[in-house]
Amino acid sequence: MILPIYVYGQPVLREIAKPVDLEMEGLDQLIADMEETMKNADGVGIAAPQVGRSLRILIVSGADLSEDYPELRNFRRVMINPEVIEKSEETAEYSEGCLSVPDINCNVIRPKRITVRYINQNRETVTESFDGFGCRMVEHELDHLDGHMFVDRVSQIRRKLIGGKLRKLETRNFRPRYKIK
């Protein structure tokens, strides 16, 4: 089922998401609904707070980016209760966008490599290192689980430049291309 995407200004996007009980009723359905919602909105990642659930779940899928990033052709991860256990001091800058901040893109500096421990969709504990654009996708979604958004990581000047657009999102004074809340 396609769920509404919560956009900038919704309080759930600023909460620290709660750990997931793996025995939670409806967990697999929530994951399926999140993935369907992400695909419907042409996204490459989504976190549970973006569909109004303050839970530590994220999904990333690079298949739609594989023309520009061939290494992402089979890149798909469902992460439950992820935690970063290592990150590089070396950083990289990329332009980011977000389903919860539609029609705004900004350059964001993040660690170039991270190692994450998480539980996958099969309820197996995985420790995995990421770099390149896959790393960027995971880092972006991890931020949502801690109540952060990519616009929090841009320079003050850039933040002032996009201030009007952010206010329009908060007041819902825009035309979304997908179902929002």
Side-chain angles (χ1 to χ4, degrees), residues 6-135:
Y6 284 56
V7 297
Y8 187 87
Q10 290 289 328
V12 70
L13 296 173
R14 295 304 188 172
E15 294 175 12
I16 295 176
K18 296 167 185 62
V20 174
D21 174 356
L22 297 178
E23 302 300 319
M24 178 183 105
E25 188 175 325
L27 178 57
D28 290 318
Q29 186 61 53
L30 174 60
I31 291 168
D33 290 347
M34 286 173 59
E35 189 153 25
E36 185 178 359
T37 300
M38 175 186 75
K39 288 178 180 177
N40 179 69
D42 295 325
V44 297
I46 196 164
Q50 292 180 274
V51 294
R53 302 290 302 271
S54 186
L55 295 169
R56 298 191 76 76
I57 305 169
L58 67 83
I59 302 171
V60 291
S61 175
D64 290 343
L65 301 173
S66 63
E67 190 171 305
D68 293 327
Y69 301 97
E71 70 276 13
L72 297 179
R73 182 173 303 114
N74 297 312
F75 185 81
R76 178 191 173 274
R77 302 290 186 282
V78 173
M79 296 183 179
I80 302 167
N81 296 333
E83 60 178 310
V84 176
I85 57 174
E86 188 176 337
K87 57 184 172 182
S88 68
E89 289 187 27
E90 188 178 5
T91 59
E93 184 174 10
Y94 288 98
S95 179
E96 293 186 23
C98 181
L99 296 175
S100 292
V101 189
D103 302 323
I104 297 176
N105 292 78
C106 299
N107 285 348
V108 178
I109 298 171
R110 295 187 185 271
K112 195 170 187 174
R113 287 177 303 285
I114 61 170
T115 301
V116 180
R117 182 180 301 121
Y118 63 94
I119 299 166
N120 69 15
Q121 198 166 358
N122 298 321
R123 312 305 195 265
E124 302 162 330
T125 300
V126 177
T127 300
E128 187 173 8
S129 295
F130 300 95
D131 61 13
F133 205 78
C135 179

Side-chain angles (χ1 to χ4, degrees), residues 164-176:
K165 289 181 179 182
L166 292 174
R167 281 187 292 285
K168 283 184 178 185
L169 294 176
E170 285 180 309
T171 60
R172 306 297 181 264
N173 187 16
F174 70 102
R175 291 192 175 180

Side-chain angles (χ1 to χ4, degrees), residues 138-156:
V138 172
E139 289 174 302
H140 178 104
E141 299 309 328
L142 282 167
D143 261 0
H144 282 296
L145 303 183
D146 292 325
H148 303 296
M149 302 179 81
F150 82 98
V151 293
D152 301 336
R153 299 194 179 280
V154 301
S155 69
Q156 283 185 304

